[in-house]
Amino acid sequence: MIALAENRWADADEAFHPHATWWIIGQGELSHARVRALATETEGQLTKHDLRVMGTVAEGNKVAVELRGDMAFPDGRTYCNTYHHVVEFEGDRIIRLHEYFDTFYVRQVFGGDLYERKIETAAKQPI
């Protein structure tokens, strides 16, 4: 989770199965590669990338993770969302990840048309 927040994708990629999918609230199901592109577009400009794990619960091949982000833009504005991930493993690699966060807050920080732009762009990309 920390590697993802810090955009250290090469480190994070090693944890994901080659066929891993993400389901993101407001976005639907996306490939890991597509999530990388979206994160780079929205969070790549951030100068601070702190993420704190608040708690975890594990059962079988799934782990639920509650996180709090503390991020900042170059102009000093902050982005501090709360996240909930449900991570499903196949062997020792992530095969599926569900991500929940405050979409209203995302719209406030990144603009009201963020989801519309992402959904339109995602629809043109292979999953």
Side-chain angles (χ1 to χ4, degrees), residues 27 29-30 34 38 115-127:
Q27 303 278 332
E29 190 169 286
L30 304 169
R34 182 66 187 135
L38 291 171
Y115 287 112
E116 288 76 19
R117 286 186 287 127
K118 299 297 180 265
I119 290 170
E120 179 181 312
T121 304
K124 295 177 183 175
Q125 299 292 322
I127 293 182

Side-chain angles (χ1 to χ4, degrees), residues 7 11 20 30-31 41 48 57 59 70 76-77 79 96 98 103 108 110 112 119:
N7 292 329
D11 294 338
L30 304 169
S31 68
E41 182 181 339
K48 181 179 179 184
V57 176
E59 182 178 299
D70 183 11
R77 289 179 300 129
Y79 175 60
R96 197 168 292 105
H98 283 209
T103 58
Q108 288 179 312
F110 293 102
I119 290 170

Side-chain angles (χ1 to χ4, degrees), residues 4-125:
L4 292 172
E6 294 176 349
N7 292 329
R8 290 187 291 116
W9 290 104
D11 294 338
D13 284 347
E14 292 184 25
F16 285 84
H17 187 281
H19 303 293
T21 59
W22 292 59
W23 178 92
I24 300 176
I25 192 166
Q27 303 278 332
E29 190 169 286
L30 304 169
S31 68
H32 179 62
R34 182 66 187 135
V35 171
R36 288 177 64 176
L38 291 171
T40 299
E41 182 181 339
T42 58
E43 298 177 14
Q45 62 186 312
L46 298 172
T47 57
K48 181 179 179 184
H49 296 272
D50 291 337
L51 190 65
R52 187 173 69 190
V53 176
M54 306 297 291
T56 61
V57 176
E59 182 178 299
N61 69 332
K62 291 184 180 180
V63 177
V65 184
E66 182 181 11
L67 306 119
R68 176 77 178 157
D70 183 11
M71 303 172 195
F73 291 92
D75 64 8
R77 289 179 300 129
T78 59
Y79 175 60
C80 302
N81 212 332
T82 301
Y83 305 89
H84 182 265
H85 293 147
V86 178
V87 185
E88 186 176 339
F89 291 87
E90 183 175 287
D92 63 350
R93 300 180 89 183
I94 298 168
I95 189 70
R96 197 168 292 105
L97 190 145
H98 283 209
E99 182 175 23
Y100 302 86
F101 50 84
D102 183 342
T103 58
F104 180 75
Y105 180 58
V106 168
R107 285 185 173 105
Q108 288 179 312
V109 173
F110 293 102
D113 67 340
L114 177 70
Y115 287 112
E116 288 76 19
R117 286 186 287 127
K118 299 297 180 265
I119 290 170
E120 179 181 312
T121 304
K124 295 177 183 175
Q125 299 292 322

